[in-house]
């Protein structure tokens, strides 16, 4: 398509005049990969159509929520019915209770749950709850993990274990991040050292069990086991940020995957978002009763929201969860994701492109690296120019992956074997040019 006929371009110009960078969330701007973002007109199943009515096979799915694909009939019906009954009441509804029951029955580490409107809000509230419940201020997070954009979480590592973090965003005062310790992901020795130094002052350790915000990097089983053991030993809470992995990597979420290798494994607080809203603004955090009862109105930890437990969003989320728990859904989703990852790896190998990939349930990641990275510095070794070539090559062939190499990918229940085969064929063509 020549620039003069690409209808995304004038839209982007209009957007840039009014909205900083033309987008309402930075990664959408294609800054990392260059070019013009696709403005989405509509979506159905595994596809969306842009301003030019060009069709794309969608491997972002709104960055994870669209696990059933777009416009699933049961979800559409539930949302339409809920909308007719009212958009928002600011008063309790039965559907919030039903959603809480559904989530808690699938993720038994939680006995109580609080619904909020975004993953950022859930992560921020989980930290406040951990601090309120333990009476401690400090906490650990890991480099490359993203937990939303709350001030105390926008932090990179300091110059050593004795120093706390530095803000990664302007507008975050150093005082606000002085209690945030940032460690390397999957580094057991460093974790042990940090606990030896600060363990008794730590409110929590917050971690993405499978980090989806540095592409796709699993916490190793020994690392996750040590996180759990050290938190228990020092009276800190283990906060699992499952905003991305929750109901995405398995019906029991990532914690059920780790429980297979670490008997009895459970976090103290679970943070959820994305899939539980099925594409509507809905997120949550939950844990054992004794911890959750610290929340207002029962306890002293304040937390509130005008739109929390929104009746249309809960209808969307509840129906989504009821669909994905139908027998066979996750097996089929996992099989599609695996076939995509194996197909890409095979094509890369045949075309002589260094490549490694991993997946769990409906979430995947791949790297233009010979071996899977274990932490953020290793992810950074990816040749970004080569990734950008791959991204644009796929885009030109109607395949939409994340416009940055630090993002995971998502397969939905609507992706067919033909979609996967078309994707692998497109990737093979691009690999030949790399
Ligand atoms: C997306 C995400 C968040 C933030 O959720 P928002 O709804 O975008 O605020 C937090 N944690 C993780 C792991 C995420 O992937």
């Amino acid at each position: 398509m020549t620039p003069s006929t690409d209808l995304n371009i004038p839209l982007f110009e209009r957007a840039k005049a009014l909205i900083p960078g033309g987008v309402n969330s930075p990664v959408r701007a294609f800054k990392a990969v260059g070019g013009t973002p696709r403005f989405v007109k509509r979506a159905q199943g595994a596809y969306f159509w842009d301003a030019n009515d060009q069709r794309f096979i969608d491997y972002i799915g709104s960055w994870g929520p669209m696990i059933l694909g777009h416009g699933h009939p049961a979800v559409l019906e539930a949302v339409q019915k809920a909308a007719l009954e009212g958009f928002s009441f600011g008063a309790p509804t039965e559907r919030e209770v039903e959603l809480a029951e559904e989530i808690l029955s699938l993720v038994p580490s939680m006995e109580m749950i609080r619904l909020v409107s975004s993953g950022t809000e859930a992560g921020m509230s989980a930290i406040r709850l951990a601090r309120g419940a333990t009476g401690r201020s400090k906490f650990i997070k890991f480099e490359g993990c993203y937990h939303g954009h709350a001030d105390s979480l926008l932090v990179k590592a300091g110059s050593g274990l004795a120093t706390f973090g530095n803000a990664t965003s302007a507008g975050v005062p150093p005082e606000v991040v002085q209690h945030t310790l940032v460690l390397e992901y999957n580094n057991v020795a460093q974790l042990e050292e940090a606990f030896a130094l600060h363990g008794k002052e730590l409110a929590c350790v917050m971690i993405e069990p499978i980090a989806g915000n540095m592409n796709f990097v699993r916490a190793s089983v020994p690392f996750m086991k040590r996180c759990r053991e050290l938190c228990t030993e020092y009276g800190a809470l283990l906060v699992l940020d499952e905003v991305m992995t929750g109901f995405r990597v398995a019906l029991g979420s990532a914690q059920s995957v780790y429980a297979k290798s670490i008997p009895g494994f459970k976090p103290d607080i679970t943070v959820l978002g994305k899939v539980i809203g099925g594409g509507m603004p809905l997120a949550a955090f939950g844990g054992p009763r004794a911890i959750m009862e610290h929340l207002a109105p029962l306890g002293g930890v304040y937390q509130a929201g005008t739109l929390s437990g929104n009746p249309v969003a809960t209808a969307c989320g509840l129906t989504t969860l009821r669909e994905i728990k139908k027998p066979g859904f996750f097996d089929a989703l996992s099989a599609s994701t695996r076939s995509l990852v194996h197909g890409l790896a095979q094509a890369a190998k045949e075309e002589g492109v260094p490549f490694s990939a991993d997946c769990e349930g409906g979430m995947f990641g791949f790297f233009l690296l010979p071996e899977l990275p274990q932490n953020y510095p290793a992810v950074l070794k990816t040749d970004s120019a080569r990734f950008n070539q791959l991204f644009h090559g796929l885009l030109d062939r109607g395949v939409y992956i994340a416009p940055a190499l630090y993002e995971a990918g998502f397969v939905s229940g609507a992706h067919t074997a033909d979609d996967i085969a078309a994707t692998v064929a497109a990737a093979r063509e691009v690999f030949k040019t790399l």
Side-chain angles (χ1 to χ4, degrees), residues 202-279:
L202 289 171
C204 66
V205 170
M206 190 173 208
I207 183 169
E208 281 184 80
I210 298 173
N213 290 285
M214 50 172 155
N215 199 323
F216 182 110
V217 182
R218 284 171 198 270
S220 73
V221 167
F223 182 68
M224 187 60 89
K225 187 162 175 277
R226 264 331 254 152
C227 284
R228 178 64 279 177
E229 288 167 352
L230 288 165
C231 282
T232 304
E233 186 182 334
Y234 285 87
L237 303 182
L238 180 62
V239 180
L240 232 52
D241 182 350
E242 296 229 45
V243 171
M244 190 181 287
T245 54
F247 303 104
R248 167 50 76 177
V249 301
L251 192 54
S253 304
Q255 51 198 275
S256 71
V257 176
Y258 283 89
K260 283 186 201 155
S261 312
I262 310 170
F265 176 80
K266 270 186 198 171
D268 297 301
I269 298 177
T270 299
V271 186
L272 294 166
K274 297 193 168 113
V275 169
I276 65 163

Side-chain angles (χ1 to χ4, degrees), residues 114-174:
R114 172 63 58 85
L115 302 181
V116 296
S117 301
S118 74
T120 290
E121 205 187 343
M124 174 188 84
S125 304
I127 295 283
R128 187 181 305 141
L129 175 60
R131 285 171 158 169
T134 58
R136 301 171 178 184
S137 299
K138 294 179 178 166
F139 70 92
I140 288 175
K141 81 174 282 289
F142 299 97
E143 193 184 15
C145 288
Y146 177 67
H147 305 294
H149 61 89
D151 282 355
S152 70
L153 288 160
L154 293 179
V155 185
K156 62 174 182 279
S159 54
L161 278 182
T163 63
F164 280 70
N166 303 312
T168 52
S169 165
V172 176

